[in-house]
Amino acid sequence: MSERHVLITGAAGLIGNAVRCKLEDRGTSVIAIDRMATTVDGREVRECDVTDVHGLHAIARAHDIDRIVHCGAFSGPMVSPDHPIQMVQVNIGGAANIGELARVIGNVRVVFASTATAYGVTPPAPVSENTVMVPDTMYGASKAAAEHVMNAYKLQFGVDTVNLRIGWVYGPRRSTACLIRQMLTDAIAGRPTHIPFGRDFPRQYLHIDDASAAMIAALDRPNLSQQAYNITGGSWLTLAEVAETVMRVVPGARVEVASGDDPGDMRQERFDISAAERDLGYRPNISLEEGIRSYLDWLKARENEQ
């Protein structure tokens, strides 16, 4: 009997790589793909874009795929905001290609890395998964549409899909804009951080280890009762409170936060993650303080390597 594999798209990215490492470290065989071939911390990633239909099906023909983790997409509203058509092609078209791949393979669980951004501005808390998604960015709209594609593959064809609406992920290897990283790198360099907005603006941060643990729980748990689950780190803090946490745990950190909303983000109330706890056994294990300490250690180690 041939070995069965988990296919991970976007495996060179933040969440995809973290999921890949956790799965391989526990002994699960992984086929890791991304739009370009690369090596991440000694682990090879093969080239196959999620828009490459023939490449995806060639991989499925060559390997016994029994589960799929779909992280391959534009990873946030700050990534290429001036290329909305390309975002639609990758985020929505890629989701359709993965749904079709799973339909053709048959009997495959697909875990899709969606985003809390798909909700847009939210009504008062608690924000459950039944909240209507009204995205106000092309990124959020593309992820919401990708969820609908996944849902349709489940309803029409019986493909076993589940969507995780993930909050603001921080931690080692994040390459896109991150205020926590900015505060920490400034502290390491001995300079103050000036954030021109956000004193009363809330954000729900999630450490990468918790994000990847939630993805794997969704991959493993049978017979899920919902199509979508909110995943956050359990906190709901203003950026001023996040800055206070950084200054409390990082010696020498100096952060000033001005008033006003984040011009690149929308105001969202606290997300209800009780369904993820009930069905996935998910509980955030890393507090913001613990995550900041570990992120600081990783950044210092990287600096010393250079």
Side-chain angles (χ1 to χ4, degrees):
M1 183 176 179
S2 63
E3 184 178 19
R4 311 204 76 186
H5 308 274
V6 175
L7 175 66
I8 301 180
T9 71
L14 179 62
I15 297 177
N17 174 72
V19 172
R20 185 249 183 101
C21 291
K22 277 186 166 64
L23 287 175
E24 289 184 336
D25 289 349
R26 77 178 191 184
T28 301
S29 181
V30 168
I31 304 297
I33 65 171
D34 212 300
R35 64 188 181 91
M36 293 186 294
T38 187
T39 300
V40 182
D41 296 332
R43 303 180 195 235
E44 293 186 2
V45 179
R46 68 177 65 183
E47 180 179 355
C48 183
D49 197 291
V50 294
T51 61
D52 180 3
V53 177
H54 300 295
L56 290 171
H57 286 266
I59 288 173
R61 287 193 299 270
H63 303 279
D64 188 0
I65 305 296
D66 69 337
R67 289 171 292 173
I68 300 173
V69 176
H70 180 39
C71 299
F74 280 69
S75 58
M78 76 294 290
V79 180
S80 299
D82 297 328
H83 297 85
I85 298 302
Q86 186 179 1
M87 186 173 292
V88 165
Q89 292 170 338
V90 173
N91 288 10
I92 304 176
N97 288 340
I98 293 300
E100 179 65 9
L101 182 69
R103 184 186 74 83
V104 171
I105 296 172
N107 194 30
V108 174
R109 162 73 56 86
V110 180
V111 179
F112 171 51
S114 186
T115 173
T117 304
Y119 283 113
V121 178
T122 65
V127 181
S128 74
E129 292 86 353
N130 293 325
T131 301
V132 175
M133 294 185 289
V134 188
D136 55 6
T137 64
M138 282 303 299
Y139 170 71
S142 69
K143 285 287 196 172
E147 281 201 36
H148 287 305
V149 168
M150 291 293 178
N151 297 349
Y153 265 97
K154 182 169 189 173
L155 293 171
Q156 184 172 358
F157 301 113
V159 177
D160 184 7
T161 63
V162 61
N163 310 309
L164 299 194
R165 296 171 184 165
I166 297 171
W168 273 83
V169 182
Y170 74 100
R173 293 197 68 256
R174 175 160 180 149
S175 59
T176 52
C178 176
L179 288 176
I180 290 179
R181 184 183 64 232
Q182 179 184 339
M183 296 179 207
L184 295 180
T185 54
D186 284 345
I188 292 170
R191 60 179 177 258
T193 302
H194 300 282
I195 301 175
F197 55 81
R199 184 178 299 142
D200 300 312
F201 187 82
R203 184 165 288 169
Q204 300 172 70
Y205 278 108
L206 170 68
H207 193 273
I208 180 57
D209 285 352
D210 282 332
S212 55
M215 295 290 287
I216 292 173
L219 195 69
D220 289 344
R221 292 285 179 118
N223 305 318
L224 299 177
S225 66
Q226 293 186 185
Q227 184 62 21
Y229 293 92
N230 293 331
I231 305 294
T232 75
S235 65
W236 187 80
L237 301 172
T238 65
L239 291 179
E241 291 172 320
V242 173
E244 289 170 3
T245 304
V246 170
M247 289 187 287
R248 185 168 61 251
V249 302
V250 181
R254 293 170 292 158
V255 186
E256 296 179 359
V257 185
S259 60
D261 287 351
D262 182 346
D265 198 3
M266 74 290 297
R267 182 172 287 270
Q268 294 182 318
E269 301 300 319
R270 183 188 287 271
F271 289 104
D272 181 0
I273 60 174
S274 60
E277 179 178 355
R278 181 194 68 220
D279 293 354
L280 307 180
Y282 170 75
R283 290 184 182 179
N285 288 318
I286 301 177
S287 69
L288 186 61
E289 289 192 7
E290 293 169 327
I292 287 170
R293 287 192 182 96
S294 67
Y295 198 6
L296 178 67
D297 291 342
W298 184 84
L299 289 167
K300 285 181 175 178
R302 295 282 291 183
E303 185 179 67
N304 292 334
E305 292 172 1
Q306 295 174 355

